[in-house]
Amino acid sequence: MAAAKRKKRAATIDDLPEALQLRILAYLNAKDAVQTMILSKTWVSLWTRIPVLEFNYFSFKYLNVFNKFVNEVLRRRDHSARLDSLKFIDTIRSSTQLLNRVFDYAFSHGVKQLEASIQSFGRNSWPVSLCNSLTSLKLQSRTDKIDCPFLGPGSTSFKNLTDLHLYGVRITSIEPFSGFPMLENLTLLYSELSIYGSIDQILRVYSLGLLHLTISGCTRINRCELRTPRLKFMEYRGYDFPKHEENLSDLETLVIDYRGFYRYSYMGEQQEKQLNEDLLCLFSRVPNVKSLTLFSPTFHLLHLFPYELERRSSPFRELKKLKLDFRVCCRRSVRLNSFDKYGKGYFLPHVPVVEFSVTCPQVYEWSADDLSDVSEFN
């Protein structure tokens, strides 16, 4: 008789190729990844070779335990393994020494994506070092503003950087982003401009390859100047309107908001007129924009000078979508009827092919006249 067939052993997670095992671990934060060492002998040291590290204080109860864990992981990790991404999230003040070590480790191991979110509490600046492998950098300070020594026209720290996201930084350079020749996406949130010895605090965004730009909630900026000829998307929510010497011919999406009405209870007519002129000048520089979003304060500014819209030719020949977003009011009277009278010809030169929408706040925040204006404009 033939020998009895051997029972087939059921496949286990140990039978997976190591590349797939590492890919599974890459979806876990560092604490959970380390804990997989109890699964089997195969997994004891597997976590030391994962290409993604995420240190998150939310996974720990005590700061000293978190700090010790980070140091141990960096010490025991396989230093020959590649490091694609590192994320460091700290909700309580950690030591400057620990943050420096995390950044130094990332830079020295050729990290491609680096993200850090911290409570600064007087920290002077972000640690910086030369790292040509870095392509994406996201830094966030949730309390104090922190300097970024790598910003400036002479910077050579991250020559291959394509994505830069900064939250709560202090900018001290006249041309902070011109040192990144490969930059394509720039986000600048709740930061401040502080150029020593300069009366006019001018933010110059000079980046010839930039495609996407978002600036919101930034302070101490008297004027923003752009030199971004390839820009396709721009969201600007500030206390001025950006200026561009040449047309932004590639720009397809524009989101614009003026935050001054939230801050100032009174503004002189001359100042309002100049702001309106700056806004219309910006519109004249975007002849091919296809999607335009205006918020309540921007709409109010246009509402103050409706005849300016009537006497100017429309630059929006390619516009396909117009959105008025009134979910947050600016404590100023906003009426749609005058815009209906003077603005349609300016913003909607091709009404049949333009998608138009108005997003309103709660009904109780509007008067009966305002509501009738909305219905008539739609």
Side-chain angles (χ1 to χ4, degrees):
M1 296 178 61
K5 294 182 179 180
R6 295 181 179 179
K7 293 183 179 180
K8 290 185 177 180
R9 183 177 65 87
T12 67
I13 196 172
D14 290 341
D15 297 321
L16 295 174
E18 182 175 297
L20 185 54
Q21 294 173 341
L22 292 174
R23 186 173 180 181
I24 294 173
L25 289 181
Y27 287 98
L28 305 178
N29 63 46
K31 182 180 180 182
D32 293 335
V34 170
Q35 290 176 340
T36 61
M37 65 187 300
I38 66 174
L39 294 178
S40 70
K41 293 182 179 179
T42 304
W43 290 71
V44 168
S45 62
L46 189 64
W47 67 269
T48 66
R49 299 189 294 278
I50 55 176
V52 176
L53 286 177
E54 179 180 337
F55 299 114
N56 194 330
Y57 175 78
F58 287 105
S59 301
F60 296 82
K61 188 175 181 180
Y62 301 106
L63 177 61
N64 63 328
V65 177
F66 173 68
N67 292 344
K68 183 178 179 180
F69 174 81
V70 173
N71 280 307
E72 281 298 305
V73 168
L74 297 183
R75 183 180 67 84
R76 297 177 59 185
R77 188 175 184 273
D78 184 346
H79 299 306
S80 64
R82 79 176 196 270
L83 180 61
D84 293 336
S85 174
L86 189 147
K87 181 185 293 186
F88 181 84
I89 301 175
D90 180 18
T91 59
I92 297 180
R93 181 181 182 181
S94 60
S95 67
T96 300
Q97 183 180 5
L98 178 64
L99 186 65
N100 289 344
R101 185 180 182 192
V102 169
F103 273 61
D104 288 343
Y105 185 91
F107 293 146
S108 63
H109 286 77
V111 68
K112 296 179 180 178
Q113 299 177 356
L114 177 62
E115 177 179 345
S117 179
I118 65 171
Q119 298 276 21
S120 59
F121 292 108
R123 194 185 305 276
N124 293 326
S125 63
W126 287 100
V128 63
S129 180
L130 179 66
C131 184
N132 292 331
S133 64
L134 192 68
T135 60
S136 177
L137 178 62
K138 183 176 181 179
L139 302 177
Q140 178 178 359
S141 169
R142 295 183 298 274
T143 53
D144 305 323
K145 301 294 188 295
I146 304 182
D147 291 341
C148 292
F150 56 86
L151 296 180
S155 175
T156 58
S157 298
F158 313 124
K159 67 178 184 180
N160 291 311
L161 194 69
T162 59
D163 297 271
L164 179 60
H165 183 115
L166 300 176
Y167 184 112
V169 303
R170 183 185 299 108
I171 299 174
T172 58
S173 172
I174 297 177
E175 298 178 22
F177 310 110
S178 58
F180 309 115
M182 306 299 290
L183 192 64
E184 295 181 353
N185 305 297
L186 172 61
T187 300
L188 185 63
L189 304 176
Y190 301 100
S191 301
E192 71 175 22
L193 189 64
S194 181
I195 301 177
Y196 180 76
S198 176
I199 298 177
D200 294 327
Q201 298 292 311
I202 302 175
L203 176 63
R204 293 186 172 96
V205 181
Y206 293 174
S207 184
L208 301 182
L210 195 66
L211 300 177
H212 296 80
L213 172 64
T214 299
I215 299 178
S216 180
C218 298
T219 59
R220 301 184 66 183
I221 298 177
N222 295 337
R223 188 166 76 251
C224 179
E225 297 179 355
L226 304 179
R227 188 177 296 167
T228 52
R230 296 182 57 197
L231 203 63
K232 292 183 178 296
F233 172 93
M234 178 167 66
E235 179 176 350
Y236 191 89
R237 308 179 70 173
Y239 300 95
D240 68 330
F241 296 110
K243 297 175 176 59
H244 204 285
E245 296 179 0
E246 302 175 351
N247 285 350
L248 293 168
S249 301
D250 292 339
L251 193 71
E252 297 180 353
T253 302
L254 175 61
V255 179
I256 197 77
D257 187 16
Y258 176 67
R259 305 183 67 89
F261 291 140
Y262 298 119
R263 172 181 289 185
Y264 310 117
S265 58
Y266 173 78
M267 187 179 298
E269 181 180 354
Q270 190 62 32
Q271 186 178 0
E272 291 176 334
K273 190 171 183 178
Q274 182 59 55
L275 282 169
N276 184 75
E277 181 63 30
D278 293 342
L279 177 58
L280 294 178
C281 183
L282 172 62
F283 288 156
S284 70
R285 297 295 190 188
V286 292
N288 297 316
V289 70
K290 294 178 174 58
S291 176
L292 175 64
T293 300
L294 305 178
F295 288 82
S296 176
T298 311
F299 177 81
H300 170 72
L301 186 61
L302 295 168
H303 167 262
L304 294 176
F305 306 97
Y307 292 99
E308 289 294 322
L309 299 180
E310 187 180 45
R311 72 180 185 87
R312 298 182 187 230
S313 59
S314 173
F316 301 109
R317 299 298 178 182
E318 303 296 327
L319 192 65
K320 303 299 181 184
K321 181 184 295 185
L322 174 63
K323 180 179 180 180
L324 304 182
D325 193 327
F326 292 163
R327 284 175 294 181
V328 179
C329 295
C330 63
R331 297 179 297 178
R332 303 293 182 100
S333 173
V334 178
R335 300 293 299 276
L336 286 166
N337 55 1
S338 61
F339 187 78
D340 188 16
K341 181 178 180 181
Y342 301 105
K344 271 190 173 180
Y346 183 78
F347 286 98
L348 306 174
H350 308 296
V351 176
V353 295
V354 175
E355 177 186 337
F356 174 74
S357 63
V358 180
T359 305
C360 302
Q362 299 297 325
V363 174
Y364 64 82
E365 298 180 12
W366 290 75
S367 67
D369 291 339
D370 290 327
L371 293 174
S372 65
D373 291 342
V374 172
S375 61
E376 289 175 3
F377 195 59
N378 282 316

